Amino acid sequence: MASLLFFEPVFKTMIWGGNRMRAAFGYDIPADNTGECWAISAHKNGDCTVAAGEYKGAKLSELWDKHRELFGDLSGDRFPLLLKVIDAKDDLSIQVHPDDDYAKVHENGSLGKTECWYILDCEPDSALVVGHNAKTREELCKLIDEHKFKELIREVPVKKGDFVQIDPGTVHAIKGGVMILETQQNSDITYRVYDYDRLQNGKPRDLHIEQSKAVIKVPGAGTAGDVMSTESVCASGTVTSTPLTAGLHNLVSCKYYTVNKLNVKGSFTLEPSGVFYMASCIEGTGSADGTPIKPGDHFIIPAGYGRLSFSGDMTLIISNPE
Ligand code: ZN
């Protein structure tokens, strides 16, 4: 029987990055501006290495190519998902991602990018950019050309435990002070609309105005209603006034992934159903079939693993590909 797969993460320093991952998760981050931890990734820009066990030293992309049975013999030329922790000390650029159809034609066969954010931590009165206010494409292009980004973008307040799905074509930005767990399609295609006129090594980072104008959906999706408070979500994903109980709670199911929040209080048995899962401990401590688990631990539950017994008092985010 295959074992749980733990990985060595890949860290990325960014002009907007911070150092909270060190204290929050005990990560050995490379600098005080570490923006991203690619926790489970087979992408060429950050291919994670198996940390222990039978496959120790192998890259996730190699396991995908040579041991497809670990992933339920899922078809596809690349591992489908990418799991990141993002620590934003400053605002990220205002950006948008293409869908699969646009990326395939314009980005050398790359996948588009659908992503979702679970707010791990944030400062009081934090916000995210989700969506825009333009009513027509003409208005959208005019506001971009005239640099009227304050008028264009829509900001939504967020707090710890909130969850947001970001579909392709949605203008978005993570704002300073927010730390998130991101589950996304395995893609690194980002079109930057505005970067606050910042400089990196003395130069502005590239903008992608034409691509952005082409892929941004009008009218923009995204209102405060799109931010889900996971402290009050029931199993079907509908917001209710009932607080989260122990057990598995669905946050989103889309074409690419399903993401659940698991509250372990004492014990919980996960009965996997064929495909593999990615799991992240975000709070509390416990164990997974005897392996100690703490915040910041991420692992794959491979296909064929069978039932998994969690115990302890902890919260995990668990996702699986569709
Ligand atoms: Zn994004």
Side-chain angles (χ1 to χ4, degrees):
M1 188 184 79
S3 313
L4 301 178
L5 296 167
F6 289 83
F7 297 89
E8 304 285 357
V10 175
F11 295 103
K12 305 268 181 184
T13 57
M14 299 285 183
I15 53 175
W16 44 260
N19 62 14
R20 278 183 293 184
M21 288 191 256
R22 186 183 291 137
F25 304 125
Y27 293 162
D28 185 16
I29 55 173
D32 281 334
N33 64 332
T34 301
E36 300 190 351
C37 163
W38 292 25
I40 298 179
S41 162
H43 195 281
K44 61 177 167 40
N45 296 347
D47 199 354
C48 294
T49 306
V50 180
E54 186 186 348
Y55 301 107
K56 186 177 176 177
K59 298 285 187 196
L60 178 54
S61 64
E62 288 175 56
L63 292 190
W64 176 258
D65 289 340
K66 295 178 192 153
H67 292 280
R68 194 65 65 91
E69 71 281 1
L70 296 171
F71 311 100
D73 292 317
L74 206 64
S75 61
D77 63 353
R78 69 204 95 181
F79 184 80
L81 300 177
L82 206 170
L83 185 74
K84 288 182 188 177
V85 180
I86 297 180
D87 175 17
K89 183 160 180 279
D90 295 314
D91 297 347
L92 272 73
S93 62
I94 294 169
Q95 52 185 251
V96 63
H97 306 296
D99 61 15
D100 289 343
D101 292 340
Y102 187 92
K104 194 175 176 188
V105 176
H106 296 91
E107 300 290 348
N108 279 322
S110 174
L111 294 178
K113 185 159 152 187
T114 299
E115 65 191 35
C116 63
W117 300 337
Y118 181 91
I119 314 297
L120 294 170
D121 196 13
C122 64
E123 288 163 10
D125 303 318
S126 285
L128 297 170
V129 173
V130 184
H132 64 81
N133 297 313
K135 286 171 198 69
T136 61
R137 191 161 301 277
E138 195 183 357
E139 188 187 355
L140 171 86
C141 295
K142 190 166 183 283
L143 289 170
I144 292 175
D145 290 340
E146 294 174 355
H147 273 228
K148 291 186 175 158
F149 296 103
K150 267 208 152 68
E151 266 176 64
L152 175 68
I153 59 169
R154 194 179 269 165
E155 287 197 7
V156 294
V158 288
K159 59 183 189 315
K160 185 176 170 175
D162 283 352
F163 179 81
V164 195
Q165 167 87 346
I166 305 286
D167 288 323
T170 304
V171 177
H172 62 279
I174 299 168
K175 305 259 297 169
V178 180
M179 184 155 70
I180 68 164
L181 181 76
E182 181 178 79
T183 306
Q184 57 160 93
Q185 275 181 281
N186 181 2
S187 164
D188 205 17
I189 307 288
T190 294
Y191 298 141
R192 213 175 273 133
V193 187
Y194 179 56
D195 200 26
Y196 308 95
D197 304 312
R198 284 183 293 205
L199 301 180
Q200 176 173 265
N201 304 323
K203 289 184 299 213
R205 298 192 292 176
D206 288 343
L207 296 179
H208 313 90
I209 301 298
E210 292 316 311
Q211 295 96 323
S212 299
K213 286 177 179 171
V215 305
I216 292 172
K217 280 187 196 138
V218 184
T223 64
D226 293 326
V227 177
M228 174 196 283
S229 168
T230 68
E231 298 311 313
S232 56
V233 67
C234 77
S236 67
T238 2
V239 176
T240 71
S241 55
T242 321
L244 265 192
T245 53
L248 206 55
H249 304 268
N250 181 249
L251 301 182
V252 72
S253 289
C254 70
K255 207 170 142 188
Y256 303 103
Y257 49 71
T258 289
V259 179
N260 290 290
K261 183 172 182 176
L262 173 63
N263 283 359
V264 178
K265 300 267 176 228
S267 63
F268 180 85
T269 303
L270 185 72
E271 304 269 3
S273 51
V275 290
F276 68 92
Y277 294 77
M278 305 194 297
S280 303
C281 177
I282 58 167
E283 230 165 11
T285 54
S287 64
D289 280 339
T291 301
I293 301 291
K294 60 181 190 316
D297 286 352
H298 311 269
F299 53 96
I300 287 179
I301 306 163
Y305 183 87
R307 59 165 60 164
L308 199 172
S309 297
F310 290 104
S311 64
D313 188 347
M314 60 180 176
T315 305
L316 297 103
I317 300 294
I318 297 187
S319 55
N320 59 275
E322 286 307 302

